[in-house]
Amino acid sequence: MKKIINTTELIKGILIIFSYFLVGSIISIPFSFLINENKLSLKAANLLLYLFLTIFFICIYHKDLIKDFKEFKKNYKSILKVTLNFWIKGLFIMIASSFIISMFKISENTNQEANIELLKQMPIVEIICATIFAPITEELVFRRGLKNFTTNKHLFALTSGLIFAFVHITSSLDSLSSLIMLVYLIPYSSLGIAFGYAYKETNNIYGTICAHSIHNAISLLELIILGGLL
């Protein structure tokens, strides 16, 4: 019987996800010191932090990125077609589930509130990070990082999607009473699962990076409108 889960690759994937937080925390230490010493602005610190974090994962997966880029150049139309098709399906489920959640008067996910506040404080930095650095880093971590732990595309999409979603709502889980916020796993995971399927179907990380970037750009526009920043 064919083994569904590769334990070694699963551990590697978990370590990559763990490093996503650990490396970010380590990199932020010197920036925090420079900010406290008034030698660096908060905007510059955030931009450099995300830049260095992105470079870190690019270095880890540079061979994959080079290989995928060559393939993307030749077949970008078909890759984007497949990826955007999955993204639209995931987006539909995300919007529908978010609408249903809103009917139950559940508090807004604080991740959205935090993003609105960041847009107010540093709009240019937030736009660059959300549309360039975040899509590259998150797709390398949650999609490429978990790519080889299973040959089952459904298990891969579900696992990477749920982990992706949980990371995005952790800021809302600061108490037992806020566990109700786990309901937001549904809209967030729908997008992550869609990206997971797209990545398995195309075997190319650039498709999901592009779709992720487009999604974040649309989300930022929505936040700008909701936050009255126009």
Side-chain angles (χ1 to χ4, degrees):
M1 183 176 178
K2 190 175 182 180
K3 187 168 69 171
I4 296 177
I5 295 178
N6 185 320
T7 306
T8 301
E9 289 297 328
L10 178 59
I11 292 173
K12 286 181 181 179
I14 292 172
L15 289 174
I16 284 293
I17 294 170
F18 179 73
S19 70
Y20 174 69
F21 297 99
L22 180 62
V23 173
S25 298
I26 292 174
I27 294 174
S28 67
I29 293 174
F31 290 136
S32 298
F33 173 78
L34 291 173
I35 290 173
N36 291 333
E37 293 292 317
N38 296 318
K39 294 181 179 179
L40 189 67
S41 69
L42 182 61
K43 294 179 182 179
N46 273 273
L47 188 61
L48 290 172
L49 173 62
Y50 277 100
L51 174 61
F52 289 161
L53 189 62
T54 302
I55 291 173
F56 175 80
F57 287 104
I58 286 176
C59 289
I60 291 178
Y61 293 117
H62 67 281
K63 291 182 180 179
D64 295 79
L65 286 166
I66 293 171
K67 177 180 69 66
D68 283 5
F69 184 69
K70 291 178 181 178
E71 179 65 24
F72 187 72
K73 281 200 303 182
K74 292 189 293 184
N75 302 302
Y76 70 92
K77 288 184 179 179
S78 60
I79 291 172
L80 288 177
K81 182 179 179 180
V82 171
T83 306
L84 293 177
N85 182 47
F86 276 109
W87 169 63
I88 290 172
K89 292 176 181 176
L91 182 62
F92 175 79
I93 297 173
M94 185 180 193
I95 293 173
S97 58
S98 295
F99 176 74
I100 294 172
I101 290 172
S102 68
M103 293 175 64
F104 289 91
K105 308 298 182 181
I106 296 175
S107 300
E108 288 288 331
N109 180 14
T110 55
N111 182 62
Q112 177 173 303
E113 296 172 4
N115 286 334
I116 291 176
E117 188 59 34
L118 283 172
L119 271 172
K120 290 179 179 178
Q121 294 178 6
M122 50 187 83
I124 303 300
V125 170
E126 180 66 4
I127 289 170
I128 293 173
C129 291
T131 60
I132 299 176
F133 298 149
I136 295 173
T137 303
E138 291 179 1
E139 290 308 308
L140 288 176
V141 171
F142 300 108
R143 248 60 69 184
R144 176 58 188 86
L146 293 169
K147 177 183 179 182
N148 296 320
F149 95 90
T150 180
T151 55
N152 186 304
K153 67 178 181 180
H154 305 298
L155 181 58
F156 167 77
L158 182 63
T159 302
S160 66
L162 285 173
I163 295 175
F164 172 79
F166 188 77
V167 167
H168 282 76
I169 68 167
T170 49
S171 60
S172 302
L173 305 177
D174 54 2
S175 67
L176 288 175
S177 62
S178 68
L179 288 178
I180 188 64
M181 300 302 292
L182 284 173
V183 72
Y184 280 100
L185 280 173
I186 300 171
Y188 275 103
S189 65
S190 62
L191 191 68
I193 290 171
F195 288 156
Y197 275 117
Y199 184 44
K200 274 295 184 180
E201 287 291 327
T202 63
N203 195 34
N204 195 289
I205 199 67
Y206 288 97
T208 55
I209 287 175
C210 289
H212 198 149
S213 181
I214 292 170
H215 178 84
N216 283 2
I218 294 173
S219 298
L220 281 178
L221 181 59
E222 179 189 5
L223 291 177
I224 289 171
I225 295 173
L226 289 175
L229 303 178
L230 285 177

